[in-house]
Every structure is written in C-alpha cells, then in structure tokens.
Amino acid sequence: MADSTYDFGAVRDDLTPLEDDCKLLGGLLDDCLRVEVGEVLFKKIERIRILAQCASTLSLNGDSDASDMISKRLADELMTLEMEEAMPLTRAYGHYLNLSGIAELHHGVRRDRSQREPNANSCENVFSRLITEGVDPDELYNAVSDQQVEIVLTAHPTQVNRRTLQYKHTHIAALLQQHDRSDLTPEERRNIVLELQREVAALWQTDELRRQKPTPLDEARGGLHIVEQSLWAAVPQYMRRLSAALKRYTGHDLPLRATPFKFGSWMGGDRDGNPNVTATVTAHVTALARWMAADLYLREIDTLRFELSMSQCSQALWIMADNITKEGHTRKAGAVQAKAAAAANQGAADAAAHGGSEAAAAAAAAAASTAGLPVSFTRPPQAHHHYRRRATKASADVGAGELSGGAGAAFPGGMILGTQPVSSHTAAEVSVPHDLPGQDEVEGDSDFEFSLSRRESESGDAACSPQPPFTSPPADGRTASATAAAAAADGTPIKAEDVLPTMPVVLTSLPSVASVTSAAAPFADPGTPDAVPPLTPNTMATPFRAAASEPQYLGGTMAVAPTPAASGAAAIAKLAAACVGATADPSFAADGAQNSIDPNPRRRTLLAERTATELAQFARAHDHPGSHPYRTVLGRVRDRLAATRRRMEDLLSGREPSAPPEGGALWYENEDELAEPLLACYWSLWQCGGGLIADGRLLDLIRRVYTFGMCLMKLDLRQESTRHAEALDAVTTYLEYGSYLEWSEDQKIEWLTKELQGRRPLIPSDMPMTAEVREVLDTFKVAARLGRGSLGAYVISMTKGASDVMAVELLQREATAQVCAELGRTPDESASLRVVPLFETLEDLEAAGDIVTRLFTNPWYRSHLATAHNNHQEVMLGYSDSGKDAGRLAANWALYKCQEKVVEMAKAHGVRLTLFHGRGGTVGRGGGPTHIAIQSQPPGSVNGSFRITEQGEMVQAKFGISGVALSQLETYTTAVLLATLRPPSPPRHEKWRSVMDKLSQVSCDSYRNIVHHNPVFIQYFKRATPEEELGNLNIGSRPSRRRQDPSISTLRAIPWIFAWTQNRLILPSWLGIGAALKAAIEEGDLPTLQAMYRDWRFFGSTVDLIEMILAKTEPRIAALYESVLVEDSDQKRLGSELRERLARCQTAICAVTGHAHLLDNNPTLRKLISMRNPYIDPINILQVEVLRRLRKDPNNQRLRDALLISINGIAAGMRNTG
C-alpha cells in the first residue's frame, strides 16, 4: 500500500525510476503472456488496457461524456467474453498491479537511500531538530532508551495473496534492488533480468488461489514468516542506525537491553467471534513461535561459534567455560557407562532369546551389573587414522586466504567452504556442532572437548579424547547391542564406540539448515499437522516453565542436583558471585532497573584496565592457547537451544515433554537466560581488546534476544465480553446465587469484588457446563500455564462496563488456582496477564472515562494494578467498529475525546497509561501514514509508550521487505518520540471544539440515516457489492459475522470495508462527512474550517486522509455494479443518492483544503493512482459480469475462482483494502 506506507508527495518525487521499473516488469510480463496465452489474446489484453486508460484520463480531465462512452464500449466487450478468455485477462491485469506495487515499494526504499539529506522522519533529522529546539541531550537519550512501542500483527482477512506469491514478490523486490547497482557488468545485468523473467514466469504459472480456508495455525505461520523474512535482519540493522544517531547527538550509545520496539501477535489468540481459535490452538501457536525462535537463534549461534575463535577471554568467561568443560567430561563418562550397561543387558537378553550359551548370557549380565564395568574410552585404530588423515589433509590443503579444517569443514549455511551443512536437527540431536576450522585431533569435535590449555591437551589424558561426531555401523552389519553382547560373551572389554549409537534419528518433517539459509525461504512448520494433536489444557503440563525438580543453568554452570527454578536477577546474581574478579555489568541489573544505561562507561573502564597493564602480562593472564572458551560457552547455549526446540517439537506432536536426563541440557524459559552467556562473551571481548568484534554479530544477536525474546512475538488473547459473562452466569446459576446476566452493573461489581478479595475456590471441578463455557475456562487455564513468558495481554472486545474487566480478573484467578493445585504450586497472582478493555462503539467510547474511573476507584482493582502491573493500565481503542457504527468523522472525534478523558483519569489516579490503537489498513478503519496518525493524537496520550495493530495486507506491505521494514521502524520511533517530547497542540480555540461537536453530530446522523435506518440499504449493499460472496472465499479463518444475523451491526468491520472497496465507492470512509461540512459552510464556518485544517493536526490529517480516499473512488464503476446487479427501483434510487453525496463530499473537501482538484497538494500520489486505474477498471467490469453469472449459478466453481481472481486484482490495485 504505497500511499500509506510511504508518504509520496511530501516532496516532489521524481517517478522516472519507478516508471522504468514498471516498464521493465511490465515488459517481462508481456513476454510471458505472449508465450502463455498466445498473440491473439495478448493483443486483446493490450487493446482493453488502452481503452481503460483513455476512459480514466478523460474522467480525470472532466470530460465525463467521452469517458462514459468509452467505458460503455469497454464494458460491452468485456462482459461478452467467455471464461476461457476472461480468466487469463483478469489474471494478467492482477499481476500487472502486483508488479507495480512491488516497484512502488522498492522505489520508496530507493528514494530514502538516495536522498542527500536525511528523510524528515529519520532519526538523524528528528534528533537534530529536537536538540536545536532546546531538548536536553540526556532527556532525549532517556526518552529513546525507555521508549516502548509494540507493533501487534493480526491476521484479518484482507491479505488475499497466498504466502507463496508473497515470497516471490519479495524476491522480485530484491532483484530490483540488485538491478539498481551502477557497478554491474553487462553480463551481471543480463543475468538479473533473466532471473526476473524466471520469477515473472513462475508467478504466472503459480495458482494464486487458496484452495482451502486458512486455519489459525496457517495464519500464525504467516506472521512468523514475517519475522524470518525481514524483521530478523531489519531489527539489528535499525538498532545500529538508532544507536549511531544517539551517539552523535547525545554522546551515548543505545543500551544493550533497550527495546524501543517489540512485536506482538493476535494470530492464534484472537478468538472474538472465531470458533476456530481454541485453547489448544493457542497452546500450539505459542509452541510454534518458541520453536522458530530457538531455530533462528541456533543459526546465529552456529555462525558466532565459527567467528569467535579467539583464545583470550576474561576471568569470568573462563570460569564459565571451565565449569562447562568439566561437567561435559563427567556427563559423558556417566552416559557412556549407562549406555554400555544398557547395551550389555540387552545383549544378554538377546543371547538368551536366540539360543546363546548360558555362560555367554551370564557373562554379559555380570558385566552389566559390575560397578567397575571395563569400558575403553580410547578411539579405535581406524578412528585415530581418520582424524590424523583429516588433520594432515587440512594442514596440507590450507593456502593463502583459506580456513583450516579441510574440505569437510562446515560453515553455518554451507556458503563459504562449499560443503553441504549438517542438518540442523541432526546436530541438535547429538549436541555436537558443525566441525569448526582449527579443530585438530587433540582439541576434539564436541563443544565439551575444547581443552582448557595446550599443556592439558598435550598431557595424553585419554579420557578427554572425544568420539567422532558420527560413526559408521560395523562392517558385519551387526547392531551395537549385538556387538556388545558378543564381546561380553567372549570376555572382551566393552568399548564405548560399540554401544554408542550411530547417526541419530532425525525428524524428517522438520526443515534442515539448507532449506532455510535464504532469507526469503519459507518457514516450514515442524511437523504440525493441520489437524491439531489432542493437546488439552489438562495434559499440557507447563510447557514453558521449568519444573522445580529440573536442574537449572545458573552462573555459567549446570547444577546437576535438583534446584528450584531461578532466572533473571537471581541468575545474574549467581553469575556475578561465581565470576571472581568480574566487573559488575550495569546493563545486567535487576529487573527494576531502567533500560537507559549507557554501555560506554563500562567499555572505557575495561579498556583502561587493559591499557594500564603491560600487554604481555595481560596476555599471559587472559590467554589460553589451544582453548576455545567462547566456542565452549556458545556450545552450551546451542545445546540449550536445541533442547528448547525439541521440547516444542514434543508439544507440537502432542507428547508430554519429558524432563531432561540428569546432566542434560535444559531448555530456555526466557530471554534473560539466553542473554546471560551472550553478555558474558560480549564483555569478555571488550575486556580483551575485542570491542570491535563484540559490537558486530554478537551485539546484533543480543539486540535480537531482547527484542524478540524466546517467543518472537508475545501472543495476545482476545474474547468478547459476553462470553465471559455467560461463563460466570453458568457458575452463579449452578451455585444457586442467581443469574449473573440479570444482575445490574452495581451488583456485578459488588459480587466480583467480594470474590476477588476472598481466597476460596469458586468454580467446582465437577460443574456441568456447555462446550462454549468450557472453552472459555480452558482458555484461561492455558493462559495460566503459559504465563507472561509467551502471552501479552488479555483484550476484552465490546467492553460495556467495569464489571467486564473484573470478570476476566476473577476467571483468570480461578484458572491460576486450579492449575497451581494440579502442579502442587503456590499461586502467584502478581504474574497474571494484564487485562485490557477494548472500547469500540460510539457509546462505549463516550463511556470509557467513567468505566476506567470506576476501575481505578475499586479498592481491590487499584491494589491489584499496583502489585501485579506496577501501576500500569492499558486501554484499547477500536477504530473499525466505531467507524461502522457512527461513520468515520464522528468516530474520529469520539476517539479523540475518549483519549483525552482516559488520560485525564489516569493522571488523576497516578496510573501509567498505554493506549492500544486497533487500526486497520484503510482510512475507514483508522488507517493512514504512520507518522501522521501518531502525530495527530491528543497531547499526553503518547507518553513514551504506544501499541498499535498492523492488519491484513498491511503486514506484508510494511514489514515484508527488510528495507521497507527498516523505514517503518524508524518512523514509529521518531513519531512516538516527537509525540512524547513535543506533543501536538490541543484545539487552539474553544470554538474549534464546538464546531467539531456539530460536525460529528451531523455526520453521525447523516451516516446512520443511510446505513442503519434506510429500509433498503442492507439489500442494496448485498446486491451492489460482493459482500455475500466474500464470506464463501478462502481468505481468512474467521467468519465474516459475529453472529448469523443479517444486520450491519453483526457484520465484521473488515468485510464491510472490503466489500465497498471492491466496487470503488468506498462508502464507509466518507459517508456523512460531506453533509456535515456542507452544513457548517452554509452556517458561515468555512474560515474556521480552513483554519482548523491549517493549524490543528488532528483535523488536518483527518481531512487529508478523506481526500486521499475520495481520489480513489470511481463513481462510474460503482454505477456499473448497480446497473447490472441491482434490480429494485428503490435500491437504484438509493445508489444514485449515494453517488450524489460522494460528489458533494468531494466539493466540500476541496472547499476546506482550498484545492482546485483532489490531491493538488500530492501530485505524486495522484500520478500513482492514475497509473493503476487502467488495470483496475477492466477487472471491475469483469467482476460485475462474474457476479451476475455466479448469482444465477452459485455452485459453479469456475465462476467462484474467477471472482476470487478479480478480488485479488482489485485489492492489489486499491492497496489499502481493509
């Protein structure tokens, strides 16, 4: 959606490079079409496009008669086409629009990169402006470091493109970027064009239709793909940019733990009106997210272990590596002995079962039961020979510029040494990393085998000699157990290599490293079937929290004896105590510490300590020749990540996760546990003079850990308030307290407060209940088990009163008590999820201030807010349903006043407030350019924290390409910063408020008179748009209606907007506004309106966004839908009235803005729209004909396919569809 992703027109943008890209891609598609559809049909496609361009140009120039004549001719030709011609023609125009969209996004990135001066919204520009305006550098530094922006990705059904096509689009964008390089040779440029040609041909030959409705798991995978596809690379890149700008203007680097932005998700958690999202689905989605997080971190750790080959380290890191190495030796000896004993026992049984001699069986059994079982830890001769040969070959082959390790040395990703990488899952199963360059026979191959010093490695300690990473089966084909049994029978000592397994079993359904090395490669689901395994809240155990009996990884060592779980500050304190001589890390402070701690003072201290000591002496104290301390520590990190991934695989497969074996690697529960050894490596490098290395890939990984955590995006849960009320009604009715649904608000609050203040259980375990009630309670149980480590907020849609929030708090407490009772733990109410009321309708927005006031004055809730959430309250505002309820202008003003009231109440009660904005892609659902949207909020509403949804097609448009994502992250940071330090001004005059009140009332009445009170409107809507057909398409997992009720109130806001966008009337975004402005102008308020437009950012941005939408409308296309699809005369009169209202609205908007034509102030966007229309118009005409035929033959699958192709094409052209 170029017109909201990039603020085209803010400068006089030269579109020549964009037009060149469009010509290139369009020409490649033309070449493809000539081959695929033939020259005759291709010429018809070209002729129709030219006719559409003529009609569009004449319409823009005001020659409506000529435009109508050509449009009629175009419609006559298109509507007589057979499906055999109509389908490829529609697909062709759809692909043209998709390719031009890719070119537009790429052009935005190119424009940002090529500008001599920083973008107006860049960190450089904004920081410079703030410092110039008198903001103290320390204030700026603290504001950026403590900023909390969370972008919540949702899976609303407006993303019509299959994920396969999205990836191809991303690849095309990458090729366009390469094509821009000025240093390409002619051959390289030809090869890039050839690759583009292949991708375009692949697009055409790929079925763009979803043949099955996506499941919530499919949608969740799509959200996780965005992380892998672009955000994983964009986040550290942007953090570097942000830190550099901070250093330049404040003198301080961005703190290591700072997270100016994070990401959340509703995919798999939003169950409001979606019965497909169940408690089980939520559990699987969180496990899937943790699996992918572990997988992504594993790749980074593999690369880091290859990179950090140095032997100098700090004392703290050396202690950590020493403990890991010693523990590895102990664990390996115990494991070998245990496996040998098991193999011997099995061998004795096999010998007896197969008629072996009793003496042989007895000998094997005796060997197994003997404590001093003779086990040889020496390599077999052939293994020694293999390692000698490999080492010799490696040293012989290494030349200038080559890395030692031989032809078999594996670099993560297999892209430098030319070898195929070992399967990531194979490596994980055997806890042995890829062979690393420089590892010789003595140093070994296991991460536990890096010797402590060359002196120790040369001592001939045979016990430290490792096994080869993979051993071949015996030549005679016998199994390890059979070999061990035979050896025992003969009285031969049992060797470890005889009983150790060969290549471990690999989960073949999981992706290998080779399949995911490309940033654009799809993320494969780890064996999760579409039919979710029977994982229930009662059988889940606690997947993401370590049991008290599990050993914990603390202070760089593995505490083998069972210890209570500990993490965060406790783990850090133990590390500090264990590391003698280590300097305390201020960025590693306790949980209450702020993020705004500059790492530079400690860096300078470490450098000073190093330079104060004679360098040779320092090297002797810190160098450990022959050792790889960083690789040792990171090897342990790799083991734990592999264990985390295996645990998630167990959950996704429906298996109960088992505790790790004694001494086995523990899985990671939270990001602090993962960050601990990484920070130890980081500060060790700085202490030993490797700060430049530390601030490279390692710092990028630390930034990722704190931004993405162990679940990439925390999952919000959302449910409608009535579902909670129905669950409590079932409880109160069963307990004979009465009907909760029939109680007044005061009665509900009184009872809920009493129950929350008490300690007794409320819900009997044997209480009978409906499936709907059980699902609600199961969701709360899953939430209690997953906790804050995987979940974010619990959002209550359609909040009508304070009791709706208190009800969720009570259900949450009950579930926590039940889960803790099952696990034998003490409930911790301070660990509950934050509960977020969502105000959506006009009446709810007006009542929001009173509702939060009642919550803040409730004694139990106020105490709970302080103890569990640090006096922090989050409130969500719904832009979609409020607009559907009252129209866009009235909803915007109600949202503005609601924010003012809630902010006022929060300040009065000493509560920190975060506002969560539920915006959609189109203006009708609160969409628009990010910077403008944030800057137009009421003063004080953005106070360093901001949450916002990115929905549907906007997720891919804004974050699908790394360059675009980078720009978006910068825009969010600077917009929130400006709104915090330089908040927008309130209405300058009180009259402006009164004018807005009148505009709001008139527009609301005008809107509701049409949408809610006109008796023929609903039928007109169903006939003149594809609304009914949208519900039958495989676009999203959620039903198009909350309930099976034909009213507008039950229709989801998304299909409401989507349907009107398809017929180009886009009615919800402007209806009522023209009437309100016209009435104000007739009352003499035009000068006031013009002043409000110039000097009040809220009103100015609202008018600008409405103007943009009006420029996208096409009444002649809307009239075609009506003339063909609507038969009733009253409905036709309504259609004519709507188009007249549209014309009046356009006139009124131009009067307020002072523009002669729409978008006079944004010629670039006007040009872009004119470039798209010749491709959109023919698709609209074909859609009309397809709808006409489909309504006569609703079961015709070919017509349904044609309709969906036309929907895809129009959505691609309109950009902001939902």
Side-chain angles (χ1 to χ4, degrees):
M1 181 183 134
D3 35 341
S4 68
T5 303
Y6 283 96
D7 190 16
F8 282 112
V11 294
R12 292 285 173 173
D13 194 13
D14 180 13
L15 293 182
T16 304
L18 170 62
E19 292 173 332
D20 290 342
D21 285 342
C22 289
K23 288 177 183 176
L24 171 63
L25 295 176
L28 295 176
L29 182 58
D30 288 345
D31 294 341
C32 174
L33 290 174
R34 287 188 177 94
V35 174
E36 296 287 346
V37 303
E39 194 68 29
V40 174
L41 184 54
F42 171 74
K43 288 181 178 179
K44 184 175 290 188
I45 291 171
E46 278 294 283
R47 186 176 67 257
I48 289 170
R49 183 188 63 79
I50 292 170
L51 285 173
Q53 191 168 27
C54 291
S56 178
T57 302
L58 290 169
S59 178
L60 282 174
N61 293 335
D63 192 346
S64 57
D65 292 338
S67 175
D68 290 344
M69 182 186 69
I70 295 178
S71 295
K72 186 177 184 308
R73 178 183 170 186
L74 185 65
D76 289 342
E77 181 169 353
L78 286 171
M79 296 175 78
T80 57
L81 289 177
E82 297 295 330
M83 279 297 105
E84 286 72 17
E85 288 187 327
M87 287 275 277
L89 190 145
T90 307
R91 290 188 64 208
Y93 292 137
H95 281 302
Y96 277 122
L97 290 166
N98 276 313
L99 292 172
S100 68
I102 296 167
E104 287 177 25
L105 287 175
H106 170 63
H107 179 69
V109 175
R110 174 174 50 209
R111 185 193 64 186
D112 289 347
R113 291 170 60 89
S114 62
Q115 285 179 345
R116 295 182 180 179
E117 295 297 325
N119 185 286
N121 300 330
S122 68
C123 294
E124 284 278 341
N125 198 309
V126 171
F127 292 0
S128 174
R129 190 190 342 159
L130 289 172
I131 294 294
T132 303
E133 292 174 358
V135 173
D136 183 76
D138 287 341
E139 181 185 5
L140 172 60
Y141 179 76
N142 290 333
V144 173
S145 300
D146 294 333
Q147 190 175 97
Q148 295 178 330
V149 176
E150 187 168 3
I151 302 164
V152 182
L153 310 184
T154 71
H156 288 302
T158 56
Q159 175 51 272
V160 294
N161 279 328
R162 288 178 60 201
R163 198 160 59 240
T164 298
L165 296 183
Q166 293 172 32
Y167 278 106
K168 292 183 183 301
H169 294 168
T170 303
H171 189 208
I172 290 172
L175 290 170
L176 285 177
Q177 185 174 355
Q178 293 181 39
H179 190 259
D180 281 344
R181 289 178 50 182
S182 59
D183 61 343
L184 292 175
T185 65
E187 180 185 6
E188 289 171 336
R189 193 171 299 278
R190 281 196 304 272
N191 287 337
I192 290 174
V193 173
L194 282 173
E195 188 64 24
L196 280 169
Q197 193 170 13
R198 293 186 192 98
E199 282 296 342
V200 170
L203 275 176
W204 180 262
Q205 295 181 15
T206 299
D207 184 4
E208 60 260 62
L209 302 183
R210 288 194 182 104
R211 297 299 174 178
Q212 294 180 335
K213 207 171 186 66
T215 67
L217 281 173
D218 294 330
E219 293 171 335
R221 293 186 193 107
L224 294 173
H225 274 295
I226 293 293
V227 175
E228 183 187 34
Q229 177 180 325
S230 62
L231 293 177
W232 193 252
V235 163
Q237 186 179 353
Y238 172 62
M239 297 286 246
R240 287 176 178 277
R241 178 185 296 182
L242 179 60
S243 185
L246 272 180
K247 182 70 176 291
R248 178 175 180 181
Y249 291 100
T250 70
H252 307 298
D253 279 319
L254 187 70
L256 302 186
R257 296 184 65 181
T259 53
F261 50 84
K262 286 195 171 185
F263 299 92
S265 174
W266 278 13
M267 303 177 195
D270 182 7
R271 58 230 323 115
D272 175 19
N274 190 352
N276 300 310
V277 179
T278 63
T280 303
V281 166
T282 295
H284 275 74
V285 168
T286 53
L288 187 65
R290 282 184 171 255
W291 185 95
M292 184 173 183
D295 195 65
L296 289 171
Y297 288 133
L298 268 169
R299 303 180 210 172
E300 297 299 325
I301 291 296
D302 279 344
T303 307
L304 265 179
R305 291 182 67 221
F306 184 89
E307 183 178 293
L308 300 185
S309 57
M310 53 286 300
S311 58
Q312 277 196 14
C313 69
S314 67
Q315 182 69 12
L317 191 77
W318 181 246
I319 292 173
M320 187 181 289
D322 188 13
N323 288 332
I324 291 172
T325 304
K326 290 176 180 177
E327 176 208 330
H329 293 161
T330 303
R331 187 178 76 180
K332 187 160 189 175
V336 168
Q337 190 163 353
K339 289 183 177 181
N345 280 325
Q346 182 63 43
D350 291 346
H354 291 83
S357 68
E358 294 182 5
S369 62
T370 302
L373 183 68
V375 179
S376 170
F377 288 91
T378 60
R379 285 200 185 98
Q382 65 270 25
H384 281 289
H385 175 69
H386 163 75
Y387 274 76
R388 289 195 195 97
R389 185 176 66 249
R390 189 187 67 177
T392 303
K393 182 180 186 299
S395 59
D397 290 348
V398 172
E402 294 181 14
L403 296 168
S404 63
F411 181 76
M415 50 191 158
I416 290 213
L417 301 183
T419 58
Q420 289 296 322
V422 179
S423 164
S424 59
H425 306 288
T426 301
E429 291 294 324
V430 297
S431 72
V432 176
H434 306 314
D435 287 350
L436 298 175
Q439 284 181 231
D440 57 27
E441 174 184 347
V442 177
E443 290 173 347
D445 294 300
S446 169
D447 29 308
F448 300 121
E449 306 304 340
F450 299 129
S451 52
L452 300 181
S453 68
R454 186 167 300 281
R455 178 183 56 79
E456 292 182 9
S457 70
E458 292 172 352
S459 65
D461 183 1
C464 293
S465 299
Q467 286 294 73
F470 305 117
T471 58
S472 301
D476 58 6
R478 292 183 297 175
T479 63
S481 58
T483 303
D490 295 337
T492 306
I494 301 174
K495 296 182 179 180
E497 57 270 14
D498 292 332
V499 295
L500 289 177
T502 57
M503 184 75 77
V505 177
V506 180
L507 295 175
T508 55
S509 61
L510 301 179
S512 66
V513 169
S515 67
V516 289
T517 52
S518 170
F523 162 60
D525 171 42
T528 309
D530 287 335
V532 179
L535 176 65
T536 66
N538 294 326
T539 61
M540 273 176 53
T542 308
F544 308 142
R545 297 183 183 176
S549 62
E550 293 181 5
Q552 297 300 300
Y553 177 50
L554 301 172
T557 65
M558 179 72 74
V560 177
T563 58
S567 61
I572 296 162
K574 288 207 173 192
L575 174 64
C579 298
V580 180
T583 305
D585 181 1
S587 70
F588 224 55
D591 292 340
Q594 291 185 343
N595 285 333
S596 50
I597 301 176
D598 181 14
N600 281 329
R602 184 175 181 193
R603 292 170 178 166
R604 288 192 292 267
T605 300
L606 293 173
L607 288 175
E609 290 175 357
R610 183 170 183 268
T611 55
T613 307
E614 199 271 324
L615 291 181
Q617 180 183 347
F618 185 91
R620 283 194 298 273
H622 294 83
D623 195 13
H624 307 277
S627 298
H628 300 77
Y630 295 96
R631 289 174 170 177
T632 300
V633 171
L634 293 176
R636 169 54 56 88
V637 173
R638 193 188 197 289
D639 277 354
R640 296 192 67 186
L641 287 169
T644 303
R645 193 170 57 180
R646 285 195 297 271
R647 186 179 181 88
M648 297 307 111
E649 288 162 6
D650 287 342
L651 287 169
L652 290 167
S653 301
R655 298 188 298 268
E656 179 74 15
S658 57
E662 185 175 347
L666 286 176
W667 54 278
Y668 281 117
E669 180 181 351
N670 57 55
E671 59 266 29
D672 283 332
E673 295 176 2
L674 176 56
E676 177 187 336
L678 300 179
L679 285 167
C681 291
Y682 179 85
W683 290 117
S684 174
L685 286 168
W686 265 98
Q687 185 174 348
C688 297
L692 189 64
I693 300 170
D695 285 340
R697 189 184 298 275
L698 178 57
L699 179 57
D700 287 348
L701 180 56
I702 292 170
R703 300 279 195 211
R704 287 186 178 110
V705 168
Y706 283 118
T707 299
F708 294 111
M710 289 308 300
C711 58
L712 299 183
M713 302 180 289
K714 287 191 177 181
L715 185 67
D716 281 0
L717 306 181
R718 183 170 80 133
Q719 183 57 280
E720 192 178 0
S721 60
T722 55
R723 295 292 301 274
H724 309 130
E726 290 166 358
L728 285 178
D729 184 72
V731 174
T732 58
T733 302
Y734 177 76
L735 298 176
E736 299 182 351
Y737 293 168
S739 173
Y740 179 86
L741 292 174
E742 295 177 1
W743 294 348
S744 67
E745 178 70 5
D746 290 341
Q747 288 176 303
K748 292 177 181 177
I749 292 290
E750 180 182 359
W751 179 76
L752 290 166
T753 303
K754 179 182 176 182
E755 290 296 329
L756 285 164
Q757 288 173 337
R759 293 292 177 186
R760 59 168 187 156
L762 173 66
I763 304 174
S765 58
D766 59 348
M767 185 187 92
M769 60 188 73
T770 64
E772 290 77 12
V773 170
R774 183 170 298 282
E775 177 56 38
V776 170
L777 300 183
D778 282 350
T779 297
F780 281 102
K781 285 185 178 180
V782 166
R785 293 175 182 276
L786 298 177
R788 294 181 183 179
S790 295
L791 303 179
Y794 194 106
V795 180
I796 311 166
S797 56
M798 293 297 172
T799 300
K800 303 293 183 182
S803 64
D804 291 331
V805 177
M806 301 282 282
V808 170
E809 293 285 9
L810 179 58
L811 291 170
Q812 187 173 197
R813 195 197 71 173
E814 283 294 307
T816 301
Q818 291 181 16
V819 168
C820 289
E822 294 170 5
L823 300 175
R825 298 180 184 174
T826 302
D828 181 9
E829 294 185 14
S830 66
S832 62
L833 301 182
R834 64 186 189 274
V835 179
V836 180
L838 167 54
F839 302 107
E840 299 181 82
T841 66
L842 190 65
E843 288 73 17
D844 295 342
L845 290 169
E846 292 171 347
D850 294 335
I851 292 173
V852 297
T853 300
R854 186 155 194 179
L855 286 171
F856 294 160
T857 55
N858 181 280
W860 179 89
Y861 189 82
R862 193 67 184 81
S863 173
H864 173 72
L865 203 63
T867 57
H869 303 293
N870 197 23
N871 258 345
H872 175 249
Q873 176 67 56
E874 187 175 316
V875 173
M876 185 171 182
L877 307 171
Y879 289 69
S880 303
D881 283 286
S882 59
K884 180 165 67 74
D885 176 41
R888 189 69 269 149
L889 186 63
N892 276 14
W893 183 232
L895 286 159
Y896 190 94
K897 294 192 295 183
C898 172
Q899 292 179 69
E900 288 183 317
K901 186 67 173 176
V902 171
V903 168
E904 179 186 349
M905 293 299 100
K907 286 182 179 178
H909 292 87
V911 174
R912 292 185 302 112
L913 179 69
T914 294
L915 292 173
F916 183 9
H917 300 263
R919 291 176 174 266
T922 187
V923 172
R925 298 185 55 242
T930 303
H931 204 273
I932 294 175
I934 296 175
Q935 286 292 290
S936 60
Q937 302 304 311
S941 63
V942 181
N943 191 21
S945 63
F946 189 80
R947 282 191 104 208
I948 188 170
T949 57
E950 290 290 1
Q951 303 180 357
E953 81 284 0
M954 297 311 303
V955 174
Q956 179 69 22
K958 288 187 175 184
F959 301 107
I961 299 173
S962 286
V964 181
L966 194 67
S967 174
Q968 288 299 309
L969 294 176
E970 187 167 41
T971 298
Y972 272 112
T973 299
T974 57
V976 170
L977 181 67
L978 286 171
T980 301
L981 298 181
R982 290 290 183 267
S985 301
R988 184 172 298 177
H989 306 288
E990 192 59 33
K991 183 180 180 181
W992 290 6
R993 284 188 174 275
S994 63
V995 169
M996 273 306 307
D997 286 335
K998 287 191 291 185
L999 289 174
S1000 173
Q1001 188 60 55
V1002 174
S1003 69
C1004 181
D1005 291 344
S1006 175
Y1007 176 90
R1008 286 180 169 175
N1009 285 338
I1010 292 290
V1011 173
H1012 296 290
H1013 304 316
N1014 190 304
V1016 301
F1017 176 79
I1018 292 179
Q1019 287 305 313
Y1020 176 81
F1021 171 52
K1022 290 177 178 295
R1023 298 299 301 175
T1025 73
E1027 184 269 331
E1028 284 191 313
E1029 289 78 10
L1030 283 172
N1032 298 321
L1033 300 176
N1034 298 320
I1035 297 178
S1037 70
R1038 193 169 71 174
S1040 60
R1041 292 182 178 272
R1042 281 192 167 93
R1043 294 176 296 277
Q1044 293 305 312
D1045 179 344
S1047 68
I1048 296 296
S1049 60
T1050 62
L1051 180 68
R1052 290 278 185 187
I1054 296 165
W1056 164 247
I1057 299 284
F1058 199 83
W1060 286 111
T1061 304
Q1062 287 287 304
N1063 80 345
R1064 310 274 290 282
L1065 196 59
I1066 325 180
L1067 178 138
S1069 297
W1070 57 263
L1071 183 61
I1073 296 174
L1077 293 176
K1078 182 173 181 293
I1081 291 171
E1082 289 174 351
E1083 292 179 6
D1085 285 332
L1086 180 58
T1088 302
L1089 293 173
Q1090 291 174 334
M1092 290 165 63
Y1093 174 72
R1094 287 193 310 269
D1095 302 326
W1096 187 13
R1097 188 166 290 175
F1098 162 75
F1099 187 73
S1101 65
T1102 300
V1103 171
D1104 282 341
L1105 292 173
I1106 298 302
E1107 183 180 21
M1108 183 266 287
I1109 283 296
L1110 291 173
K1112 288 188 169 188
T1113 60
E1114 188 50 80
R1116 61 187 175 82
I1117 294 294
L1120 178 65
Y1121 278 76
E1122 178 187 308
S1123 64
V1124 175
L1125 302 174
V1126 177
E1127 298 175 353
D1128 183 81
S1129 58
D1130 290 337
Q1131 294 176 30
K1132 285 181 177 290
R1133 277 193 294 272
L1134 174 61
S1136 298
E1137 180 185 347
L1138 292 177
R1139 290 190 296 279
E1140 290 172 5
R1141 286 176 177 246
L1142 172 62
R1144 290 198 294 269
C1145 185
Q1146 292 172 334
T1147 301
I1149 286 289
C1150 286
V1152 172
T1153 61
H1155 299 157
H1157 303 94
L1158 294 173
L1159 295 182
D1160 267 359
N1161 66 329
N1162 199 336
T1164 303
L1165 179 55
R1166 192 178 183 191
K1167 175 70 177 293
L1168 289 172
I1169 293 173
S1170 68
M1171 288 168 61
R1172 300 170 195 157
N1173 283 343
Y1175 298 100
I1176 307 175
D1177 290 355
I1179 304 178
N1180 276 121
I1181 296 170
L1182 288 167
Q1183 186 181 85
V1184 170
E1185 178 59 20
V1186 169
L1187 282 170
R1188 185 184 68 80
R1189 298 182 192 182
L1190 187 59
R1191 288 173 181 178
K1192 294 180 179 179
D1193 186 8
N1195 296 320
N1196 189 316
Q1197 186 59 48
R1198 188 164 178 77
L1199 289 172
R1200 290 164 69 103
D1201 288 351
L1203 176 62
L1204 186 51
I1205 290 172
S1206 70
I1207 288 172
N1208 287 353
I1210 296 169
M1214 297 298 287
R1215 299 290 190 264
N1216 40 7
T1217 57

